[in-house]
Amino acid sequence: MLLARCLVWAIALLASFAAADPQVITTDEAESVISKSSHTNNWAVLVSTSRFWFNYRHMANVLSLYRTVKRLGIPDSQIILMLSDDIACNPRNAFPGTVFNNKDQAIDLYGDAIEVDYRGYEVTVENFVRLLTDRWDEDQPRSKRLLTDENSNIFIYMTGHGGEEFLKFQDAEEIGSYDIADAFAQMHEKKRYNEIFFMIDTCQANTMYERFYSPNILAVGSSRIEESSYSHHSDMEIGVAVIDRFTYYTLAFLENINRDSRVTMNKLFDEFTYDNVHSNPGIRTDLFKRNVSEVLITDFLGNVQNIVLDNVEKDILFNSNHNKQEATDNNETRPVHSYSKIDISIDTEDSNELTKIAPEVQRAMGVGIAGLVIALWVIAKDLA
Amino acid sequence: MTETESENGLKVQNQEVPESDTIAYIRRLIVFIVALTVLGLGYPVLQFTTAIYRADLPVDEITSLASTLHNDISFKIPVYLDIPTTLDVFIPDSQEKLNQFVNSKYPELANFWSLDLKKITPGIDPEIDYVVKLVQDENENGDDAVDMSPFSKETTLKVSQNWIDSKLVDQVLSSVLVDMVFKEEISELVSIINNRAKELDKNIVVPYSPNYNLVFSLLVENGRTVKWDIETALKQMKPFLNKLTHYTNFSISTQVQYYSKTEKPVVFDEKKNAYILKESDLSTFINFGDWNLNTHDMDPSINFLVYFPESNYENKPWVIDHLDNGAFLVKQWGGVYIFNKEKPILEGYDVNITELELIPILEIFTSQLFQLLGLATFPKSPSMRVDTLTRLTLFKNLKKTLENLHSLVKLTVSLNEISIPDETKEHVLKSIELVKLAISEINQKQNYHNSMTISSKALTISDRAFFDKEMVQQAYFPNEHKMAVFLPLLGPVTSILAIALIKILVSFKTGLKKKKAD
């Protein structure tokens, strides 16, 4: 009796094992989950929108990010730099031909290798919208156009003076948040981007990205509605503020990133605290499919190429250059003809393959067998 | 009668002279005429002058074309059978069998793609058209039965007596054509029709353009002169590029650059006596900042780099870890080959990369170019691959053109402040006309080369329609502020008119009350 019970238990256990679905996670998978981005090229659009000497820091913001983006690998042909005023050659500049972003004047951002695409009064709302939607005359030069396609990741950075749902351009006009949202919608319609990373450093910056409605956009703003963004420090020799807080902390973080870095975006966002920035930065991720902790910074700010190895097919050039006659005449033996054996399956009904059972059916069968055996056990108890 | 105090304190009675009726009548008339002018003439003029010009687009035609594209096109690829005249009767039966085979295995291709079996005539050239040659096989086994030519579009099928006896030859023929010769084409077409999402790994192919720049660059790490016979070597590529003249236009340019260092220094391995490049380093190998790889041209470029490291002078090679050849492909951009000189370089002599050394490099580049253009990988013959590519790109272009037009229509509907100029409408109509022409070239003449050229024109024009420079939503002010901007004009006019009308109404009411009192 006891033996019979044990036997039945054993059979029931085995049956349940057959029904179970073992799950094994390797340690490699558990460690770092980086979602793969499907982009193949990177573009950057860096815009400064304000005029006059006392807005020195806005030019410095943009030029610092230009330098960073170039250092991380994006070529000049894929960077659109829009500087609304010429600060380096301003008559009030005590150090003519230079732009600094720190009072230690360690790095001259203006240098001799910068390529400015839109300068001075060319930086207007109309030109910016035209740039995004690519609606130009035939004679617009290539260096001034955003020639992206559906595999491009674009980093868009805007800085200047802004307010609730507007950004002031050139002290004379403004761009509304709806305008940018509609421009992005047009870009999405025409598949002109894979993902956009939108960063804006102005007062009440978060209001500018609230109106976006196209997918795959990650947006970061430096301050909330009714809040101002602050400058970081002034250089006493130059006489004006040289960098904004939000951009200063962004740059400080990005200085530690190099071209093949595997650091993710959420580490950058961790730098934006109230103590650092003195305002409440905002991040909008609801339009962005991937999780921010799985996105590499170099997906947007770098230019990491997708490589394919070991994929060389032989004799292609030879085959294009010859035809059969020439090959046999010259006794060439290189080309490999594709010989194949033909398998004709006349009757496909009775084959000797093991039949495959779907996992749900397996589970059902396991549960069924276990139940049957338990029922038998119960009945046997009663009968005995 | 009202009483007022005059200056010297005397009370004076002012007599109110009631307005004469004619004057009141004239006043009312004036107000009504002004109101009529403002509403009848002024308001329409305001609307007309501030309205945004929107030409009307043939929306229905576009949506109907877009939805029925798959059904409108009918590919009937002619395949010529080289069989003795006695077996001519075999052709209609095989055609039936073939159609059944295709439609049962791939129901999406019904009425869309099929093969047209015909008897071969003397003028047929296997370089241009598909030919299947059926020969009697002496040995009875099925080995080496199918021989697909690696040069032209010919396939030789060895038929054994066994098959003839069991009447299996047409089944064999169908299987050979569908599962071997046209396998890649069919699977690509099915995935395009089903709109299957692009897998991550398939992002290799450069997007189609009617013009490409092929740039061959030699990047030398230091400043010592290196010569290469690229111009003579490139003549070897000309036959292949000529095969694609109906498909796209290539402009070839070459350059040599010195002092091209990589950003990260490469590590020297003592054991292997070579500089080792890790696979993970290859993603950032190309130093875009320092190397001049910009073509300043609107057309897309496919770049092929040959990198000549300085260690060649010390006879130490640069090797990519775990790879035989130092070549890798960069998705949607081009290819790179790291050149290691096999024989040591003599002192005082300048390196010359001869044509013989360049040919294997060009073989690698051609293979990479095939992948970048999207040519199929299976039938070895380049002619077959180009043909498949023509048909696939033709279909994709037509699909994309109609998608562009459809996006344009969607845009104009969702953004109703955007203006639609006449040029856009013209481009849209021209594009639709070209799409219809391309479809008729396929259906009636099965002329894929012509149709391909027309489809690429249609695509360019549809892009032009979408990206017309007048279609910028920005007027002088955003539409929400329209009322605010016109307020200085409309404010005074409407307020005066309104007050006058109210006065008339009030006097009317008091007049009525008076009449009632009387």
Side-chain angles (χ1 to χ4, degrees), chain A residues 85-97:
Chain A
D85 196 6
D86 190 2
I87 284 298
C89 301
N90 192 305
R92 286 156 113 173
N93 195 346
F95 307 96

Side-chain angles (χ1 to χ4, degrees), chain A residues 324, chain B residues 79-84 120 126 130-136 145-147 153-159 173 176-177:
Chain A
K324 197 169 180 185
Chain B
V79 175
Y80 294 94
L81 294 175
D82 194 352
I83 48 178
I120 193 169
Y130 290 92
V131 173
V132 178
K133 201 167 175 171
L134 289 147
V135 284
Q136 189 90 9
V146 184
D147 172 15
K153 294 184 191 168
E154 189 172 6
T155 309
T156 311
L157 185 57
K158 294 200 187 117
V159 178
L173 182 64
V176 165
L177 285 173

Side-chain angles (χ1 to χ4, degrees), chain A residues 9-70:
Chain A
W9 255 120
I11 294 172
L13 260 170
L14 281 172
S16 64
F17 267 124
D21 217 2
Q23 292 234 348
V24 176
I25 303 178
T26 61
T27 43
D28 286 334
E29 284 170 32
E31 264 177 23
S32 68
V33 185
I34 302 278
S35 62
K36 204 160 177 253
S37 171
S38 51
H39 72 281
T40 55
N41 53 52
N42 286 75
W43 284 73
V45 177
L46 308 169
V47 186
S48 136
T49 59
S50 39
R51 288 223 129 228
F52 309 131
W53 172 247
F54 49 82
N55 290 322
Y56 184 105
R57 61 189 186 282
H58 297 145
M59 308 303 146
N61 286 350
V62 172
L63 283 169
S64 322
L65 272 165
Y66 173 76
R67 184 181 159 273
T68 303
V69 151
K70 262 183 89 164

Side-chain angles (χ1 to χ4, degrees), chain B residues 139-254:
Chain B
N139 31 357
E140 294 287 313
N141 52 359
D143 292 337
D144 301 345
V146 184
D147 172 15
M148 280 187 277
S149 159
F151 305 110
S152 64
K153 294 184 191 168
E154 189 172 6
T155 309
T156 311
L157 185 57
K158 294 200 187 117
V159 178
S160 64
Q161 192 58 37
N162 201 0
W163 290 342
I164 299 180
D165 293 337
S166 16
K167 294 202 191 298
L168 281 176
V169 187
D170 39 10
Q171 195 173 352
V172 170
L173 182 64
S174 306
S175 169
V176 165
L177 285 173
V178 173
D179 291 331
M180 285 185 209
V181 180
F182 290 101
K183 180 172 82 134
E184 292 261 341
E185 182 171 341
I186 293 177
S187 68
E188 267 297 312
L189 276 175
V190 167
S191 67
I192 297 174
I193 293 172
N194 292 339
N195 280 329
R196 226 176 282 159
K198 247 199 298 193
E199 294 142 35
L200 232 55
D201 301 309
K202 291 280 161 77
N203 272 358
I204 300 180
V205 179
V206 179
Y208 173 75
S209 158
N211 299 302
Y212 285 108
N213 288 321
L214 280 183
V215 183
F216 293 90
S217 315
L218 172 64
L219 298 167
V220 184
E221 195 178 356
N222 60 359
R224 273 178 73 172
T225 313
V226 176
K227 292 202 205 78
W228 62 337
D229 290 333
I230 189 73
E231 312 230 332
T232 43
L234 277 177
K235 292 206 184 96
Q236 299 278 338
M237 274 190 92
K238 279 283 168 26
F240 166 62
L241 297 177
N242 286 340
K243 278 205 219 298
L244 290 171
T245 41
H246 65 279
Y247 178 75
T248 183
N249 188 27
F250 289 104
S251 346
I252 305 182
S253 46
T254 64

Side-chain angles (χ1 to χ4, degrees), chain A residues 100-317:
Chain A
F100 298 113
N101 66 355
N102 201 310
K103 66 177 181 224
D104 60 13
Q105 295 180 6
I107 310 170
D108 175 17
L109 300 169
Y110 208 64
D112 27 44
I114 71 167
E115 285 183 20
V116 183
D117 299 302
Y118 288 85
R119 65 202 68 202
Y121 284 110
E122 288 174 353
V123 180
T124 60
V125 174
E126 183 186 337
N127 280 355
F128 181 63
V129 173
R130 277 184 189 276
L131 175 80
L132 288 180
T133 54
D134 202 30
R135 295 219 160 91
W136 293 110
D137 239 338
E138 279 118 35
D139 36 2
Q140 183 76 356
R142 184 201 184 278
S143 60
K144 283 179 151 179
R145 293 172 74 151
L146 190 64
L147 298 170
T148 52
D149 56 36
E150 58 185 327
N151 296 312
S152 308
N153 273 9
I154 315 180
F155 169 55
I156 302 181
Y157 176 79
M158 301 182 78
T159 184
H161 288 289
E164 186 180 338
E165 303 215 17
F166 71 88
L167 173 59
K168 185 175 71 159
F169 265 70
Q170 300 285 10
D171 218 37
E173 52 179 2
E174 51 190 49
I175 190 169
S177 53
Y178 286 101
D179 298 325
I180 306 185
D182 287 336
F184 284 166
Q186 292 193 49
M187 287 174 81
H188 176 66
E189 232 4 272
K190 198 56 179 63
K191 298 202 181 78
R192 276 167 55 75
Y193 69 90
N194 177 31
E195 288 169 344
I196 291 182
F197 178 40
F198 182 77
M199 188 186 260
I200 178 162
D201 186 359
T202 66
C203 301
Q204 304 189 48
N206 296 358
T207 55
M208 284 304 277
Y209 62 64
E210 292 299 336
R211 301 290 168 197
F212 294 166
Y213 54 91
S214 319
N216 294 336
I217 302 181
L218 177 64
V220 174
S222 60
S223 54
R224 267 204 312 237
I225 190 171
E226 311 279 343
E227 253 186 11
S228 303
S229 289
Y230 298 97
S231 64
H232 190 258
H233 65 269
S234 310
D235 182 337
M236 288 307 147
E237 291 168 7
I238 295 179
V240 284
V242 288
I243 189 91
D244 277 330
R245 293 200 88 95
F246 181 77
T247 309
Y248 177 84
Y249 286 102
T250 310
L251 291 168
F253 181 79
L254 291 174
E255 283 298 311
N256 300 327
I257 307 288
N258 54 15
R259 286 189 193 193
D260 40 20
S261 154
R262 309 282 294 167
V263 178
T264 49
M265 283 294 225
N266 60 337
K267 300 279 185 340
L268 170 64
F269 296 158
D270 289 340
E271 293 286 310
F272 301 149
T273 60
Y274 189 85
D275 291 326
N276 281 350
V277 187
H278 292 186
S279 54
N280 285 307
I283 304 166
R284 182 170 179 190
T285 52
D286 62 314
L287 295 168
F288 195 65
K289 269 193 301 228
R290 302 190 282 155
N291 190 339
V292 167
S293 56
E294 295 169 7
V295 177
L296 294 175
I297 292 192
T298 50
D299 273 353
F300 289 108
L301 275 81
N303 193 17
V304 176
Q305 306 287 312
N306 279 335
I307 305 285
V308 177
L309 294 163
D310 251 350
N311 225 349
V312 177
E313 200 182 332
K314 298 202 189 342
D315 300 330
I316 293 254
L317 193 57

Side-chain angles (χ1 to χ4, degrees), chain A residues 316 320, chain B residues 208-212 214 237-252 302 366 368-376 381-391 393 448-449 452-453 456:
Chain A
I316 293 254
S320 327
Chain B
Y208 173 75
S209 158
N211 299 302
Y212 285 108
L214 280 183
M237 274 190 92
K238 279 283 168 26
F240 166 62
L241 297 177
N242 286 340
K243 278 205 219 298
L244 290 171
T245 41
H246 65 279
Y247 178 75
T248 183
N249 188 27
F250 289 104
S251 346
I252 305 182
I302 302 180
T366 313
Q368 289 174 341
L369 182 62
F370 267 55
Q371 290 174 58
L372 288 167
L373 287 176
L375 288 162
S381 157
S383 306
M384 284 199 220
R385 293 191 196 186
V386 167
D387 209 38
T388 302
L389 182 69
T390 307
R391 278 189 290 271
T393 314
Y448 308 118
H449 287 206
M452 175 71 223
T453 338
S456 84

